[in-house]
Amino acid sequence: MARKYFGTDGIRGLTNIAPMTAAMAMKVGMAAGAHFRRGDHRHRVVIGKDTRLSGYMLESAMVAGFTSVGMDVTLVGPMPTPAVAMLTHSMRADMGVMISASHNPFADNGIKLFGPDGYKLSDVDEMAIEALIADDVPLAPAAQIGRARRVEDARGRYINSAKATFPSELTLDGLRIVVDCANGAAYNVAPSALWELGADVVAIGVEPNGKNINDGCGSTAPQLLRETVVASGAQIGIALDGDADRLIVVDEAGRVVDGDQLMATIAMGWARRGLLKNGNLVATVMSNLGLERYLAEHGLGLVRTKVGDRYVLEAMRTRGCNVGGEQSGHIILSDYATTGDGLVAALQILAEIVRAGRPASEVLHRFDPLPQVLKNVRFAGGKPLDDARVQAVIADAEAELNGKGRLVIRPSGTEPVIRVMAEGDDPAQVEAVVDRICDAVRAAV
């Protein structure tokens, strides 16, 4: 059965338009609370959010939903998604909630749910919650309605947890770092953690006003970071997204380093020190073929998954791997976190630079990526990828690229779009292949 509300990363949409309304947020709170009420102890949920204006509304609605079914609520305010995951587990809560639309514009918002172990929910749990949303959830008797309270030391707990992942024998003394927090959830914790580890910190994107999250800043808009790194003479720039589970880096020359290069750097460093488990890195089908070839040259493997950090993590847990992520900068280091953590990943990158004693430009650019083209085709309905003409064009393209490149075609999990990606040694061939497939999809719809 297809899920109605949950996408690849929780529930997401334009605020005050279904499903991202206060009424739905309250229903999700009621349904999720009912689903996770197991046993006769006082049940508790941790709720965090990013800096969007709509976070106040959705937070209040979810508090009403959870307390109405007898769950106590612990509010931690604006905090990174990985912090909510960590706090859910460390505080022995029954579940956690992050109210955020990640890297999306401020008008969007979303709801991400975590189980008591700090991991995102399985498809089975999400389907069960969806069924409860559509049903009448039993409300708690008056004497058993939940309470809500705010925890004031949540930021300190997360900062200490993140700092503990940085090797104790190293220091960031003398390193000038520009950190762009996207006017989002990490606007306070990321600069503080870096400064406490000894860095000379230049912080940008740290003045949230409810509407400027991800607006011309952060991991999806690195131009401001590039300019600031060069102008300030910094050795490196770090860009997080709105909920700080994503990391993009800029080297001292202002060049952007994507998630594939960052994962390669961490995997190689950990492999040298005997820390990389199972000899594999886990990434999605969107990671560049250059990454796969680079790892193979050094005796390491690349395990590919569907797009979505939840699928990366699932493969990591199944195969016993401890490094994985996405080209977009979601990097999961399961020795330290149960989800992508931009700050923790950045600290591992900084550790590699400190150990090497060389500029970021030399340490982080591990391989030359193959030419990669990604184009989107919007459609109004139906299943264009099932069309026989489209399938024939795709088959021809795969035969043409065999041994010289890769083809990835998939429907978006968040919008009515077919994403067509190809990569290979010949950029002209890659461009032509993508155009032919896009034309066939347009003809089919």
Side-chain angles (χ1 to χ4, degrees), residues 38-39 68 166 227 288 302 352 363 373:
R38 301 159 183 172
S68 72
F166 190 73
E227 295 170 355
N288 196 275
L302 180 66
E352 294 300 324
V363 176
V373 176

Side-chain angles (χ1 to χ4, degrees), residues 91-121:
M91 297 178 72
R92 296 182 64 187
D94 296 278
M95 65 172 301
V97 177
M98 179 63 183
I99 301 171
S100 174
S102 190
H103 58 280
N104 286 24
F106 93 93
D108 291 342
N109 216 327
I111 299 171
K112 303 179 184 183
L113 303 179
F114 297 91
D117 55 2
Y119 287 97
K120 291 180 180 178
L121 301 189

Side-chain angles (χ1 to χ4, degrees), residues 20-45:
M20 202 43 56
T21 64
M24 176 56 73
M26 185 170 71
K27 287 183 179 179
V28 172
M30 295 169 65
H35 179 66
F36 279 96
R37 276 186 58 86
R38 301 159 183 172
D40 56 4
H41 63 279
R42 288 298 299 179
H43 290 74
R44 178 165 59 177
V45 55

Side-chain angles (χ1 to χ4, degrees), residues 242-253:
D243 68 336
D245 64 355
R246 181 182 298 203
L247 168 71
I248 293 295
V249 168
V250 168
D251 69 20
E252 78 283 357

Side-chain angles (χ1 to χ4, degrees), residues 26-37 65-71 128-141:
M26 185 170 71
K27 287 183 179 179
V28 172
M30 295 169 65
H35 179 66
F36 279 96
R37 276 186 58 86
F66 281 116
T67 54
S68 72
V69 296
M71 289 195 84
I129 291 170
E130 284 208 355
L132 289 169
I133 290 174
D135 203 355
D136 290 328
V137 177
L139 300 180

Side-chain angles (χ1 to χ4, degrees), residues 39-349:
D40 56 4
H41 63 279
R42 288 298 299 179
H43 290 74
R44 178 165 59 177
V45 55
V46 174
I47 300 181
K49 61 181 180 179
D50 64 22
T51 57
R52 292 165 211 270
L53 180 63
S54 57
Y56 294 97
M57 175 186 75
L58 297 175
E59 178 187 61
S60 298
M62 296 203 78
V63 169
F66 281 116
T67 54
S68 72
V69 296
M71 289 195 84
D72 292 335
V73 178
T74 299
L75 298 167
V76 298
M79 290 286 285
T81 288
V84 173
M86 181 273 291
L87 290 166
T88 298
H89 179 62
S90 68
M91 297 178 72
R92 296 182 64 187
D94 296 278
M95 65 172 301
V97 177
M98 179 63 183
I99 301 171
S100 174
S102 190
H103 58 280
N104 286 24
F106 93 93
D108 291 342
N109 216 327
I111 299 171
K112 303 179 184 183
L113 303 179
F114 297 91
D117 55 2
Y119 287 97
K120 291 180 180 178
L121 301 189
S122 67
D123 290 345
V124 173
D125 281 324
E126 289 182 348
M127 289 296 294
I129 291 170
E130 284 208 355
L132 289 169
I133 290 174
D135 203 355
D136 290 328
V137 177
L139 300 180
Q144 296 177 20
I145 291 173
R147 301 174 184 268
R149 67 185 181 98
R150 292 195 177 272
V151 173
E152 301 300 331
D153 67 340
R155 289 178 178 175
R157 292 190 188 202
Y158 174 66
I159 289 172
N160 286 335
S161 174
K163 285 168 54 184
T165 68
F166 190 73
S168 59
E169 72 275 13
L170 303 180
T171 177
L172 298 180
D173 288 353
L175 201 63
R176 175 169 289 183
I177 302 171
V178 181
V179 58
D180 182 350
C181 298
N183 292 313
Y187 77 96
N188 179 284
V189 294
S192 296
L194 293 170
W195 183 84
E196 291 178 15
L197 287 169
D200 175 8
V201 179
V202 179
I204 59 178
V206 290
E207 298 179 353
N209 62 16
K211 300 179 182 178
N212 61 358
I213 187 171
N214 302 314
D215 186 7
C217 57
S219 62
T220 55
Q223 185 58 33
L224 176 62
L225 179 63
R226 297 175 64 190
E227 295 170 355
T228 307
V229 166
V230 174
S232 65
Q235 282 78 44
I236 191 171
I238 294 167
L240 308 174
D241 65 339
D243 68 336
D245 64 355
R246 181 182 298 203
L247 168 71
I248 293 295
V249 168
V250 168
D251 69 20
E252 78 283 357
R255 293 185 298 173
V256 174
V257 185
D258 70 9
D260 283 349
Q261 300 282 2
L262 300 177
M263 287 189 290
T265 299
I266 295 172
M268 283 299 299
W270 284 26
R272 280 196 307 271
R273 292 186 295 281
L275 301 176
L276 185 69
K277 295 177 182 177
N278 203 25
N280 285 311
L281 168 68
V282 180
T284 75
V285 293
M286 301 305 290
S287 278
N288 196 275
L289 183 57
L291 171 62
E292 186 171 347
R293 292 177 177 177
Y294 171 80
L295 293 172
E297 289 171 1
H298 292 85
L300 302 178
L302 180 66
V303 177
R304 292 189 182 270
T305 73
K306 293 190 295 183
V307 173
D309 62 322
R310 61 185 293 166
Y311 302 113
V312 171
L313 182 57
E314 182 179 294
M316 290 173 65
R317 298 180 75 180
T318 300
R319 294 173 174 266
C321 300
N322 59 346
V323 179
E326 298 183 278
Q327 187 183 65
S328 61
H330 279 115
I331 299 177
I332 304 172
L333 305 174
S334 58
D335 287 356
Y336 302 130
T338 57
T339 186
D341 191 321
L343 177 57
V344 168
L347 292 177
Q348 297 306 304
I349 292 296

